[in-house]
Each structure stands twice: as structure tokens, then as C-alpha cells.
Amino acid sequence: MSGAASPGDDRGNHLPRAHGPAVLAARIRATPEDFRVDELPGFEPSGSGEHLLLEIEKRGMNTAFAARHIAAWAGVPESAIGYAGLKDRHAVTRQRFSVHLPRRVAPDSAGFDIEGEPEYLRLLRHDWHSRKLPRGALAGNRFVLVLRDAQGDRAAVEARLQAMAARGVPNYFGEQRFGRGGDNLTHALAMFAGRRVGREQRGLLLSAARSAAFNRVLAARVEAGDWDTGMVEGEVWMLDGSRSVFGPEPLDAALAARVAAFDIHPTGPLWGRGELRSAGRVAALEHAMLADGAWPRVRDGLEKAGLKQERRALRLRPDALAWAWPSPDTLRLEFALPPGTYATVVLAELGDFNGT
């Protein structure tokens, strides 16, 4: 990936695959039940406190709609509602919300559910907890995806799935980060040029710009074939299951063994103020990929916004990846992912899908 490409080329649909050309074309989300997401809780309820912790199931509704409904049900402002992560509208999802109720009086659960067709919202259970549910307070998400009208050689598809289970996939930010049609990137550049935006939109635009810069660097590593090796001079590594990073340090067999065991992962930059932590060849590539076209404006905008240099793992391995063929043209996938990663990125390594 070279030249003065626009940030819009790095939304997700122009990014290189690590395992070769597409081996599958299929339809996703023929119904919301074809895209099921279950939030994996990061903790158990404390059993006491001023926050009512809700587990809900919803169909055809996004997280913001559910939060507004819960606030109205409880008679509290939306600021009293907490949730760990955003979930898709075109899916069946289970997730947690918290409601701050200082008087510790739970509303009547009989008035909670919304039953309709095709949308519904249901309360599955509730417990008291000591704190508001913050963003990111989850262990991950479990996905069950059904791909219909599948076209492709079954042996090639299964070989690709086996490779993905063994090596993982590039940990790109998904297209969801960039808004409808990728417009968030254009709006971010306008914001950096002086256009005023609201506080909430500002956060979304900064996230989109930072994500696009990361995707561009990762795409270059994928094209170079070293996105998952961790054996490039100046590499910075992240411990699996955490955000802790270390390095650079001299490459040796012990580091290589840890990378092969998925104990550590090579990383790329989440751009901000300060010096890159990487060095040598890795730092040179990271600077080069963000040195021309619109990328210097993206870099400068992120720095002026006060964001600090951080790192993100370059690779993602779907946990417990399993598959089955309920019919000759239907593929069912199951896997779990850590917070902040995307099922659509996993699918992209297989091929192209209508309905995403």
C-alpha cells in the first residue's frame, strides 16, 4: 500500500486480505437472527449498591434506542444509563445496561418489554450493583453468524477458516467506525480545518481519523507479509488479553516463541502526541505511511486534539472458531472476540458479503 492514498481508502472495503483472494461470496443478515451477538460479562454483579444491572435481549434496535427506552421506563435521565458496548441494530443481541437508582427502588419489570414485529426488547434478568456500567466493561462478544446463498469451493472455504484459526486475521477497525459511506473521515478533515462540531460528534470523528491511520499502517504490514510475525526491527508488542505493551528490544528466539504461542502480538500506532514507541524499520514504515496526501493533516489534527500515542495489536485470533454447513449453500460460524474488535473484519478474510 503506497502513494498518497486518501483516508477514505482505509475504511475497510479496500484493505488487503492476509490469507489470499476471496474464497466465498454470500448473503449476511437475511434476517436479524443470522447475526447474533451475546455480550460476555466482565464481572459478576455485587448484589448491592445503587445501580440496577439489567441483562436484555433485543432485535432490530440499536443500543442508543434501548438506552432511551430504559431511561423512560425507569424515569431517569439518559445520563443515568450505562452500557459496556454498542451493538448492531440489524441483529439479535444480548447485552447489559445499568440504571442509577439512588433510592434503590426497582421499576416494575412488567412494563419493560417491547413486543413487536420485527423489533422487540426483553428484560432477561436484573441485579443490584455498586457502580455504573462503564464503556468497555465486558470480556468480549460471542457471535453466531449465518451466511446464506454461499458460493465458493467448500474445501477452499474450510482451508481458509483453518488458516484464520491458526494465524488469526488483521485487526483492522471495521467500516462501522467510519460512518455511513465513510463520511466521518471527510468530516474529520473538515473539523481539523476549523469546522465546528458538537462534543459527541467530535469524539466520533477523532476516532474515525485515528482508526483510518491505524488501518493504513496495518494494510502496509499485511502487504509486506509481516503483520503477524512480530520479528521486524523496532517492534512493540502487546500482551494478549491486555493493553500492556513492551519493547522495542532485541529480537530473539524467546520472543518469536511467545508470538507463535499468541502470548504477545505486534502492534501499530493509534496516533497522537509524543514520539512513536516503535523504532527502526517499524517506526520508519509507520512514519512513511502517514507522510503524504491527507495523512499529515490527519496526524496533526489528532495531535492538536490532545490525543496521546498509543498502540493496538495488529492481529486478532477468533476464539473457539467453529463452522458447520446446515445446507449446501449455508455456512454457520461461531467465535468470540475481545472488546474493540469486529466480526465483519473476520468475515472479510473469507470474502465478500451482501447485507453487511
Side-chain angles (χ1 to χ4, degrees), residues 231-312:
M231 290 290 106
V232 181
E233 179 198 2
E235 201 82 79
V236 177
W237 296 274
M238 180 172 288
L239 297 176
D240 186 57
S242 80
R243 295 185 179 181
S244 297
V245 297
F246 69 96
E249 58 185 60
L251 305 176
D252 57 23
L255 281 173
R258 293 183 69 185
V259 173
F262 283 82
D263 178 46
I264 59 175
H265 309 283
T267 64
L270 295 174
W271 203 271
R273 289 180 178 175
E275 295 296 322
L276 282 172
R277 179 155 183 164
S278 56
R281 288 175 52 201
V282 172
L285 178 142
E286 292 172 355
H287 278 297
M289 297 313 298
L290 303 175
D292 55 12
W295 296 105
R297 285 187 286 149
V298 170
R299 271 195 349 241
D300 292 346
L302 293 170
E303 292 172 13
K304 290 176 181 177
L307 299 177
K308 296 180 181 180
Q309 286 283 352
E310 296 179 286
R311 307 293 292 186
R312 175 179 168 92

Side-chain angles (χ1 to χ4, degrees), residues 88-328:
D88 204 291
R89 174 184 176 185
H90 303 290
V92 175
T93 67
R94 287 190 177 190
Q95 69 182 115
R96 280 177 165 179
F97 290 82
S98 68
V99 187
H100 188 208
L101 298 168
R103 296 182 180 179
R104 284 184 49 82
V105 177
D108 184 0
S109 60
F112 181 91
D113 292 0
I114 299 175
E115 293 292 348
E117 182 60 39
E119 301 87 6
Y120 69 73
L121 179 67
R122 297 168 183 163
L123 179 61
L124 303 179
R125 62 174 291 176
H126 57 82
D127 301 278
W128 288 103
H129 189 59
S130 56
R131 292 184 296 175
K132 182 178 182 179
L133 187 61
R135 295 291 184 94
L138 69 163
N141 294 289
R142 180 87 191 159
F143 297 88
V144 180
L145 310 180
V146 179
L147 310 178
R148 302 187 185 276
D149 302 329
Q151 300 177 33
D153 179 74
R154 182 180 293 198
V157 172
E158 296 199 356
R160 177 64 54 85
L161 288 166
Q162 290 166 358
M164 292 161 58
R167 288 183 59 194
V169 302
N171 191 22
Y172 293 122
F173 285 99
E175 289 188 73
Q176 302 95 308
R177 266 294 167 104
F178 306 110
R180 186 173 299 175
D183 290 343
N184 283 353
L185 300 170
T186 301
H187 296 322
L189 287 169
M191 179 180 69
F192 294 152
R195 179 184 295 174
R196 292 187 176 183
V197 300
R199 181 177 179 181
E200 183 175 352
Q201 187 184 18
R202 178 179 182 273
L204 291 173
L205 298 183
L206 289 173
S207 176
R210 205 181 198 195
S211 300
F214 175 88
N215 278 3
R216 179 159 170 81
V217 171
L218 176 51
R221 296 288 301 262
V222 170
E223 289 190 336
D226 57 26
W227 61 280
D228 63 336
T229 65
M231 290 290 106
V232 181
E233 179 198 2
E235 201 82 79
V236 177
W237 296 274
M238 180 172 288
L239 297 176
D240 186 57
S242 80
R243 295 185 179 181
S244 297
V245 297
F246 69 96
E249 58 185 60
L251 305 176
D252 57 23
L255 281 173
R258 293 183 69 185
V259 173
F262 283 82
D263 178 46
I264 59 175
H265 309 283
T267 64
L270 295 174
W271 203 271
R273 289 180 178 175
E275 295 296 322
L276 282 172
R277 179 155 183 164
S278 56
R281 288 175 52 201
V282 172
L285 178 142
E286 292 172 355
H287 278 297
M289 297 313 298
L290 303 175
D292 55 12
W295 296 105
R297 285 187 286 149
V298 170
R299 271 195 349 241
D300 292 346
L302 293 170
E303 292 172 13
K304 290 176 181 177
L307 299 177
K308 296 180 181 180
Q309 286 283 352
E310 296 179 286
R311 307 293 292 186
R312 175 179 168 92
L314 294 181
R315 68 176 178 175
L316 166 68
R317 184 165 68 166
D319 184 45
L321 176 61
W323 58 89
W325 299 87
S327 69

